[in-house]
Every structure is written in C-alpha cells, then in structure tokens.
Amino acid sequence: SKDDKMALVACYGSDELARLTSMPVSCSGVTIGERDPMIRYLRLMADEIARQRFPLGAHDQAVHNHLLASGRLNFATPIPNGSGRVATLGLQPDIEIDSSGLVHNRDGTVPAVVHQHDRHPEVERQVNERLARLRTHLSPCDRSACTGR
C-alpha cells in the first residue's frame, strides 16, 4: 500500500524500496509459529523498531519485510498468500466465498484465519452474519467471551 511504501522509505530509504519492489509482500499482522522462533522474531522486530525510533504505526510492515529480505529471518518460512492457514484479504481483488460464507484459498482449501476481512464489504457482511448466528447458540456466559461484554 501507499502507507507501507512511505514507511519503508522513511525507515530504509528509496534504494530499499526499489530492492523490495520485486519481492512478494509478507503481512506482519499474521506472523505465526512455534514458541522459540516467534520469540526470536519478536526480539528482532522490537530491536529494529526501537532502532528506527518511530512511534508505532505502519513501519512494522516495513521492518518485517526488510528483515525477511535481508536474510535476518532465515529461520522463517513465508507462505504465499492464497495458500496455507492464513488468508490476508486486504489487497486481494478476488475472494472466493462459498454458499455457507467460508472464504477459500486459491487452491480451494479453507484457511483457519481470515485476516483483513473488513477491507471487503461483502466478506465483512458475511463474517458478521456468521458471528451473529453463532452468538444466538451461546449461553450468556459464552456470549460475553464473543462480545467482550
């Protein structure tokens, strides 16, 4: 996105933006893994964010992709969007939703996590309808866990 590009330039300069332009973008918002590699990842992210001295904001995405491209996350395995356990919908133009409201990856599998569903009004509507149906089947105690009330 425009904000991500601006953050990358602010953190690392236009040469880094040019270098990363040909690489696939990896979303920092859904980084998952086993305990020890995640601790290592979070330490690298925290150190790099602190080094940049920017307040929290869009630059976490820039830092994440810079670390991937630099090889400092060589213990990580980026999974292409549209496959795997997480579907990040933010910039995806075409999203497949079946008749029951489930999002499908390009390979037909159903992801366990649908990230940025709110960027697509139809997907958000269907997610909200599914949640509303689920809430009607929960006891009042369980319902508070879903709504935060």
Side-chain angles (χ1 to χ4, degrees):
S1 76
K2 180 182 170 189
D3 290 339
D4 293 335
K5 289 177 183 177
M6 288 174 34
L8 190 63
V9 170
C11 290
Y12 301 105
S14 55
D15 287 348
E16 183 69 348
L17 174 63
R19 186 173 82 89
L20 295 184
T21 298
S22 64
M23 301 178 78
V25 174
S26 174
C27 183
S28 63
V30 288
T31 304
I32 59 175
E34 294 180 1
R35 179 187 178 278
D36 290 344
M38 283 303 302
I39 289 171
R40 187 172 169 198
Y41 166 79
L42 292 169
R43 285 187 177 134
L44 284 166
M45 285 289 289
D47 290 349
E48 188 67 15
I49 288 169
R51 192 178 75 72
Q52 293 300 328
R53 298 181 183 260
F54 285 102
L56 289 178
H59 68 285
D60 64 322
Q61 187 71 29
V63 169
H64 173 83
N65 280 281
H66 170 76
L67 289 172
L68 274 172
S70 71
R72 290 173 60 197
L73 298 179
N74 60 351
F75 57 91
T77 305
I79 306 295
N81 200 28
S83 62
R85 297 180 187 153
V86 177
T88 300
L89 305 185
L91 299 176
Q92 296 300 314
D94 300 313
I95 298 162
E96 183 184 336
I97 306 170
D98 67 21
S99 60
S100 65
L102 294 175
V103 171
H104 287 255
N105 285 319
R106 285 188 288 270
D107 64 4
T109 60
V110 176
V113 177
V114 178
H115 182 50
Q116 298 178 342
H117 71 276
D118 60 327
R119 313 290 168 89
H120 298 273
E122 177 58 21
V123 178
E124 182 176 30
R125 182 187 68 73
Q126 290 197 26
V127 166
N128 289 337
E129 285 178 6
R130 284 181 64 89
L131 288 174
R133 285 193 305 269
L134 286 172
R135 283 186 195 119
T136 63
H137 299 291
L138 297 175
S139 70
C141 182
D142 292 338
R143 197 173 300 126
S144 67
C146 290
T147 62
R149 290 184 235 142

